[in-house]
C-alpha cells in the first residue's frame, strides 16, 4: 500500500517536500499551504497529519506512513479525535470567539495520540482581530501541536500570519490534466472525469469521491438535477418550490449515512472515554456534518453552473465544447435559439447563490431563487413548449 503522500494528486513537489520533512524529522509546528481551489491542499494537510500520527514513526516502513494501522485509518477517514478541521464560522470569516476556542483547545491534552493536528481552512478569511487572538499560539504552539493553515494565495493572508509559518505553495492544475488524473484514479472515461471535475469546482479529490460514491449516488443526483433543469421552462411557481425542496432532500441524503457512522463511533467509545473527550468528538462530528452539507450544496450549484455553461456553448454555436456530453441532445434542443448573454447572466446568479449560502441564508431560499432565475432565461429563449 502506498504511503499517504501518494494521494496528493497533481502536486509532485509538495508530495516529495512533505515526505522528506517527515522522514528527516524536520517537521515545523506551523505550515501555510497556499494554492487555488482544487489544488489538493486539504488532502495534503490530512496526508501530513496521517504521517505524523502513525505510531510506527518516521523510520518505519515507507517512512512510518503505513496507511493501514488503526490510527492511519482514522485520520484518512477524518475520524481521529486529535486531528481537528476548522472553517470560518462567520459570514465574513473567522470569529474572534471561534479562534479563542481553538486556542484554548490547543492547551488540552490529546485524546488518543501523542500529539494534535489543527487544520484551519480559508485563513485568508482570518481578519485582524481574529488573527491577533491567534498569533501567540501560532508563534509558540504547545510542543504536541502542529498547525496547518490553508489559503488561496500568500498575498491574501495577513503578513503576521505568513511570517510565522512555513509556506508551502501548490500549483494550479489545468482542467485537462486534472481530468486525466481523475480518470487514472477511478477508471472513468475522460469525458466523465471532466464532468466530475466541473461538478466539484475543480477539486480532483472531490471529483474522485464523486465518481466513487456508494451506489453511484452522486451521479444519480446529477441526473436528477439535470432532468429538473430541463423541465424548468414548463414549471409553474409551485412546481419550482417543490423541485427545490426535493433537490435539497436528495442532495443531503448521504448525510444520513455519515450521521449513522458517527453515532456508531460514539457508542463504541462511550464506555472508556472521558466526558470531555466525548464532547470533543461530538463537536468534531458536528463540524464534519456541516462541512459535508456545504460540500453537497456547492456540488449542486457547480452542476447548475456547468449546465448553464454548456448552454452558452450551444447558444454560441460551439456545441463541440459541451462538457456534459451525456445530455448533449437536451442541451442543443433547449439552447440552440437562446441568448448567450442571458445565459451568462443566469450563470452569474449561481455566484450570487453561493455567496448567499456563505452568509448562511436558507438553502431552500437560495435554490428557489436560482431555479426561478434559470426558468426566466429558458422562457426568454423563445421556447414555450
Amino acid at each position: 500500500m502506498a504511503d499517504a503522500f501518494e494521494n496528493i494528486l497533481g502536486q509532485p513537489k509538495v508530495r516529495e517536500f512533505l515526505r522528506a520533512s517527515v522522514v528527516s524529522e524536520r517537521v515545523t509546528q506551523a505550515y501555510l499551504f497556499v494554492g487555488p481551489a482544487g489544488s489538493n491542499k486539504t488532502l495534503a494537510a490530512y496526508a501530513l497529519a496521517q504521517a505524523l500520527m502513525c505510531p510506527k514513526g518516521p523510520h518505519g516502513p515507507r517512512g512510518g506512513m503505513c496507511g493501514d494501522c488503526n490510527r492511519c485509518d482514522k485520520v484518512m477517514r477524518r475520524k481521529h479525535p486529535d486531528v481537528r478541521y476548522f472553517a470560518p464560522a462567520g459570514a465574513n470569516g473567522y470569529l474572534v470567539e471561534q479562534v479563542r476556542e481553538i486556542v484554548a483547545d490547543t492547551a488540552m491534552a490529546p485524546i488518543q495520540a501523542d500529539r494534535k493536528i489543527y487544520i484551519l481552512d480559508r485563513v485568508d478569511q482570518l481578519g485582524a482581530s481574529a488573527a491577533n487572538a491567534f498569533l501567540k499560539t501560532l508563534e509558540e504552539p504547545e510542543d504536541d501541536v502542529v498547525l496547518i493553515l490553508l489559503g488561496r494565495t500568500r498575498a491574501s493572508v495577513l503578513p503576521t500570519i505568513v511570517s510565522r509559518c512555513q509556506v508551502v505553495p501548490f500549483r494550479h492544475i489545468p482542467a485537462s490534466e486534472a481530468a486525466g488524473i481523475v480518470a487514472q484514479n477511478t477508471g472513468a472515461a475522460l469525458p466523465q472525469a471532466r464532468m466530475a471535475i466541473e461538478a466539484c469546482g475543480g477539486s480532483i479529490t472531490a471529483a474522485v469521491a464523486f465518481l466513487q460514491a456508494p451506489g453511484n449516488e452522486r451521479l444519480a443526483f446529477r441526473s436528477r438535477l439535470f432532468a429538473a433543469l430541463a423541465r424548468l421552462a414548463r414549471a409553474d411557481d409551485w412546481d419550482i418550490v417543490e423541485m427545490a425542496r426535493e433537490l435539497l432532500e436528495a442532495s443531503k441524503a448521504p448525510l444520513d449515512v455519515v450521521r449513522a457512522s458517527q453515532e456508531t463511533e460514539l457508542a463504541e467509545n462511550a464506555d472508556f472515554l472521558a466526558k470531555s473527550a466525548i464532547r470533543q468528538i461530538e463537536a468534531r462530528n458536528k463540524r464534519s456534518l456541516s462541512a459535508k452539507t456545504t460540500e453537497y450544496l456547492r456540488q449542486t450549484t457547480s452542476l447548475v453552473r456547468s449546465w448553464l455553461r454548456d448552454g452558452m456553448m450551444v447558444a454560441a454555436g460551439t456545441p463541440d465544447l459541451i462538457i456534459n456530453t451525456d445530455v448533449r441532445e437536451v442541451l442543443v434542443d433547449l439552447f440552440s435559439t437562446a441568448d448567450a448573454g442571458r445565459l451568462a447572466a443566469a450563470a452569474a446568479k449561481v455566484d450570487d447563490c453561493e455567496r448567499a449560502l456563505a452568509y448562511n441564508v436558507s438553502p431552500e431560499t437560495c435554490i428557489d431563487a436560482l431555479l426561478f432565475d434559470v426558468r426566466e432565461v429558458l422562457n426568454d429563449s423563445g421556447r414555450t413548449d
Side-chain angles (χ1 to χ4, degrees):
M1 180 175 180
D3 68 57
F5 296 124
E6 289 300 323
N7 295 321
I8 308 176
L9 306 174
Q11 302 290 348
K13 291 184 178 180
V14 171
R15 184 168 59 238
E16 294 312 313
F17 169 75
L18 294 178
R19 182 185 287 118
S21 297
V22 172
V23 172
S24 63
E25 299 185 73
R26 292 198 298 265
V27 175
T28 63
Q29 285 190 270
Y31 288 92
L32 173 61
F33 292 179
V34 292
S39 56
N40 273 334
K41 301 187 298 294
T42 304
L43 180 66
Y46 276 98
L48 178 57
Q50 180 185 328
L52 294 175
M53 286 294 194
C54 182
K56 296 187 178 180
H59 301 298
R62 293 190 297 276
M65 299 158 279
C66 70
D68 54 11
C69 69
N70 180 59
R71 193 178 293 181
C72 283
D73 178 64
K74 283 188 174 182
V75 176
M76 288 173 67
R77 293 187 295 113
R78 306 189 183 186
K79 296 283 189 181
H80 200 291
D82 295 316
V83 179
R84 320 280 176 80
Y85 172 89
F86 296 91
N92 295 316
Y94 281 90
L95 302 174
V96 175
E97 294 80 5
Q98 179 188 15
V99 172
R100 286 175 178 161
E101 288 177 3
I102 296 171
V103 169
D105 193 81
T106 63
M108 300 177 69
I111 295 175
Q112 293 181 357
D114 55 0
R115 70 171 83 203
K116 294 191 294 183
I117 314 292
Y118 291 80
I119 301 170
L120 276 66
D121 201 357
R122 290 175 279 162
V123 292
D124 25 13
Q125 296 183 31
L126 193 63
S129 297
N132 287 337
F134 191 50
L135 290 182
K136 188 175 187 303
T137 298
L138 188 60
E139 190 166 15
E140 299 176 1
E142 300 287 338
D143 291 340
D144 59 358
V145 165
V146 175
L147 303 162
I148 307 173
L149 281 54
L150 315 179
R152 291 294 181 91
T153 65
R154 184 177 183 140
S156 66
V157 180
L158 290 172
T160 51
I161 298 294
V162 177
S163 64
R164 289 165 170 80
C165 298
Q166 166 76 60
V167 179
V168 181
F170 285 63
R171 72 185 185 99
H172 168 70
I173 304 173
S176 57
E177 181 182 346
I181 294 171
V182 171
Q184 182 179 359
N185 283 271
T186 62
L190 273 174
Q192 190 178 43
R194 181 70 190 279
M195 170 275 295
I197 286 287
E198 288 290 316
C200 298
S203 170
I204 293 173
T205 306
V208 170
F210 186 94
L211 292 174
Q212 294 181 336
N216 292 323
E217 181 276 327
R218 292 283 87 193
L219 289 171
F221 173 74
R222 170 183 173 270
S223 297
R224 187 170 180 174
L225 174 60
F226 282 177
L229 292 172
R231 296 196 307 271
L232 275 177
R234 303 185 300 274
D236 62 24
D237 291 357
W238 282 110
D239 290 335
I240 289 180
V241 170
E242 181 64 16
M243 192 180 295
R245 184 189 64 78
E246 290 178 354
L247 287 172
L248 282 169
E249 286 183 359
S251 175
K252 296 177 182 179
L255 293 176
D256 293 335
V257 177
V258 176
R259 192 176 292 108
S261 174
Q262 292 176 346
E263 291 172 354
T264 299
E265 179 191 11
L266 272 175
E268 291 172 349
N269 292 320
D271 292 337
F272 63 87
L273 288 180
K275 289 183 179 179
S276 60
I278 292 292
R279 285 196 296 270
Q280 290 182 41
I281 292 176
E282 288 173 340
R284 183 206 68 198
N285 288 347
K286 184 177 180 181
R287 290 192 297 268
S288 176
L289 277 172
S290 177
K292 275 294 182 185
T293 299
T294 300
E295 178 186 346
Y296 293 149
L297 286 171
R298 285 179 178 168
Q299 284 183 5
T300 301
T301 54
S302 292
L303 284 166
V304 175
R305 181 186 289 108
S306 175
W307 193 78
L308 290 169
R309 178 257 179 212
D310 283 348
M312 283 186 271
M313 296 302 101
V314 173
T318 54
D320 53 313
L321 298 179
I322 287 174
I323 291 174
N324 298 291
T325 54
D326 57 325
V327 291
R328 178 192 297 271
E329 291 184 9
V330 174
L331 290 164
V332 170
D333 184 51
L334 283 171
F335 297 117
S336 58
T337 61
D339 182 277
R342 290 192 62 80
L343 286 168
K349 295 292 185 181
V350 179
D351 299 335
D352 293 341
C353 177
E354 290 177 341
R355 281 190 290 271
L357 289 168
Y359 277 87
N360 295 320
V361 176
S362 160
E364 290 82 359
T365 300
C366 294
I367 300 301
D368 275 352
L370 181 58
L371 294 179
F372 277 113
D373 289 332
V374 175
R375 183 186 64 174
E376 182 180 353
V377 170
L378 292 174
N379 285 336
D380 285 348
S381 70
R383 294 186 56 85
T384 57
D385 60 332

